[in-house]
Amino acid sequence: MSSSSSPSSSQTGAADQGRSGGGGDTRGRRRRGLHRRHPRHPLLEMGETSSSSTAAAAASSSAAASSSRRRSSASSSTAAAAVVSYEGVWPEPFVEAVCVQVALDESASLGRLAAAPAMAVLFQVCSTWRTISRSELLWQTLTRRIWRRTRLLHETWRDEYIYRHLTARNFRVRDYTHSTLHFIDGAVPIAGNNGVGAENHLICLRIALSDIHLAAGFSDGSVRLFDLHSHHHLHTFRPFLRDRLGLFSRAVCGIILNHTRLTFASLDGDIHVSQLNNGPGLGPGSTRRAHSGDVVNDGVLVDFTGCERFWVGLYAGVPGRAIHIWDAQSETPSFIGGNLTDPEAVMGWHMLTEWMPESVGRVRVIGHELAIACTGSRVLVFDLRHQGLVVSEESHGGLLVGLLDTSHDVFIMGDARGVGSTRRLGTMEVVCSFSLRGAAANGLARGLTGCMNSGYVLISASGGIVRAWEMERGEYLYSFRERIGEVSALAANDRHVAGSSSGDIRIHLWDFGA
């Protein structure tokens, strides 16, 4: 079936916009170039000065964010004193290596926001060190090692680093703008089991974010694509229709979004692909079916994810076929097997006919090599390159499936006792633990939905309040001011957080961009 888009989407794409501290439309100010939320931010005031002054300004902004950052100044001063005591002239590559090492050490011991103060001290040593502060290679290395970014979105790597620093600071101090994205068609008729049509709101079940797009998957099998800059609805991608096996058999169960391609799957196992860059034979919004699902032999596709190299599906309903891996380039399966979801087989079949707010299982891909999957009783890490080889596995009682999410080599999990933790992928080493009691309704840690980016954990409970924790130390930071109802989808990247509820026809979008 061809896809559709609405010409009125630009008028309804971003309503109810306001800054976190109060009301008012901030999008107009952004278009006029007055989008900075720090009127007299030190970094912006010194934008025309040397790199050393800029780094020092970034340092002052970090120090204001947390009192713990003051300790980094002392350790950095010690490093600088050691440098000053040496009267010779060090080669520039050696100086760059020292700067990188000091920044990495501060980041590892005190957090990523502590790297800028450490570098600011070093850049004030002498003119040679100030010259190094303008090295693009230095800033590219630091951006890659500290912020895990390899794609340049700004004019220089120095600008990229500063932007990532300020955006992470905004996450820490709750400095954001809030807006809502409205669905184009708020309600559609869905036939019940008795054949009688009933008017039901679309339920947003999955959200995926890239640097420029937001994709939302719905209970009718459609995926809507929004532009994150303008907040306009761009296209609606619809699956090819076939016989329904249940009321929710077409519901979207996973989305893979990058800059050129959108891949989405439904509970009946169908996988569709749409090009975002108008590839050969595909216009804007057109869709093709890459894989036809076989519910009878494979079961229900309860979750779907992937990367540029692999697609991964988690199935429930048929023993011994829990995990499916495809080569994303050839779109052919490379592995089928596993018994992770065998105890949840009945729940999997019920997902075709009933709306189930709590997930049967989740699967996430980290990098291009490993994936992690969990149910309410087991969690396992497996190798995508070697036929789903299990790397590590743990059995737990009462795991909260809705909390599982990953960022780089770290993942989050939690249990019904109200304990959450971030862990290292592969070894499952605990990075930190934190209490979920404050996020749970009536003190019970059930019905929680979570996501994470490279620095923070976001969790929403049945009350619709999104709360934020620091990822590496488990420090509780704050709760978002806006309530969104019973959460059906929640996602985050290093700039945005997006969420929707089962009783709403809007997607809430929080923008922490500097």
Side-chain angles (χ1 to χ4, degrees), residues 451-493:
C451 64
M452 66 188 304
N453 58 24
S454 62
Y456 303 94
V457 173
L458 296 311
I459 297 177
S460 177
S462 56
I465 300 177
V466 180
R467 291 177 168 87
W469 282 263
E470 200 272 337
M471 182 186 72
E472 295 182 347
R473 293 163 184 79
E475 177 189 358
Y476 173 72
L477 300 177
Y478 54 80
S479 62
F480 288 19
R481 292 181 174 90
E482 299 77 18
R483 294 192 178 210
I484 63 176
E486 184 178 355
V487 174
S488 58
L490 189 68
N493 61 15

Side-chain angles (χ1 to χ4, degrees), residues 399-439:
L399 287 177
L400 301 176
V401 175
L403 285 188
L404 180 70
D405 201 15
T406 61
S407 178
H408 303 294
D409 62 341
V410 177
F411 69 94
I412 177 179
M413 59 184 295
D415 58 42
R417 298 173 303 167
V419 178
S421 62
T422 55
R423 302 189 176 199
R424 299 290 179 191
L425 189 69
T427 63
M428 293 195 179
E429 172 193 358
V430 176
V431 177
C432 70
S433 299
F434 51 92
S435 175
L436 299 173
R437 295 295 180 182

Side-chain angles (χ1 to χ4, degrees), residues 205-406:
L205 301 175
R206 294 291 189 274
I207 296 175
L209 292 163
S210 71
D211 290 328
I212 56 178
H213 292 131
L214 179 151
F218 294 86
S219 52
D220 68 342
S222 65
V223 174
R224 286 159 174 77
L225 187 71
F226 295 86
D227 181 273
L228 285 174
H229 176 69
S230 66
H231 295 178
H232 291 170
H233 170 263
L234 301 178
H235 302 291
T236 297
F237 303 91
R238 300 189 184 278
F240 286 85
L241 299 182
R242 57 174 180 157
D243 292 339
R244 240 180 214 187
L245 300 176
L247 186 65
F248 293 99
S249 61
R250 296 175 188 165
V252 174
C253 65
I255 301 173
I256 306 170
L257 176 65
N258 58 38
H259 299 288
T260 60
R261 188 163 75 162
L262 170 72
T263 306
F264 62 98
S266 51
L267 290 177
D268 59 11
D270 284 358
I271 301 175
H272 290 83
V273 176
S274 299
Q275 295 297 128
L276 302 182
N277 61 343
N278 303 335
L282 292 174
S286 59
T287 304
R288 62 178 177 85
R289 181 186 291 148
H291 175 77
S292 296
D294 186 353
V295 174
V296 174
N297 292 316
D298 292 331
V300 179
L301 180 54
V302 299
D303 201 18
F304 176 78
T305 187
C307 59
E308 293 183 358
R309 291 181 56 188
F310 298 101
W311 299 342
V312 186
L314 183 65
Y315 288 75
V318 177
R321 300 178 71 86
I323 296 173
H324 292 217
I325 303 174
W326 291 265
D327 182 292
Q329 301 304 316
S330 63
E331 300 176 357
T332 56
S334 60
F335 173 78
I336 298 176
N339 60 3
L340 177 65
T341 58
D342 286 4
E344 286 77 19
V346 175
M347 291 179 61
W349 291 117
H350 278 290
M351 291 182 67
L352 295 175
T353 58
E354 302 174 17
W355 159 241
M356 300 179 63
E358 294 193 12
S359 303
V360 171
R362 264 195 182 188
V363 61
R364 294 290 185 266
V365 169
I366 294 187
H368 300 288
E369 301 177 356
L370 299 176
I372 182 171
C374 84
T375 63
S377 58
R378 290 172 61 196
V379 56
L380 60 87
V381 178
F382 53 96
D383 195 323
L384 299 174
R385 303 166 302 169
H386 299 97
Q387 301 293 305
L389 176 68
V390 176
V391 176
S392 57
E393 180 179 0
E394 287 188 8
S395 296
H396 296 274
L399 287 177
L400 301 176
V401 175
L403 285 188
L404 180 70
D405 201 15
T406 61

Side-chain angles (χ1 to χ4, degrees), residues 139 159 166 267:
W139 292 109
D159 292 340
L166 292 178
L267 290 177

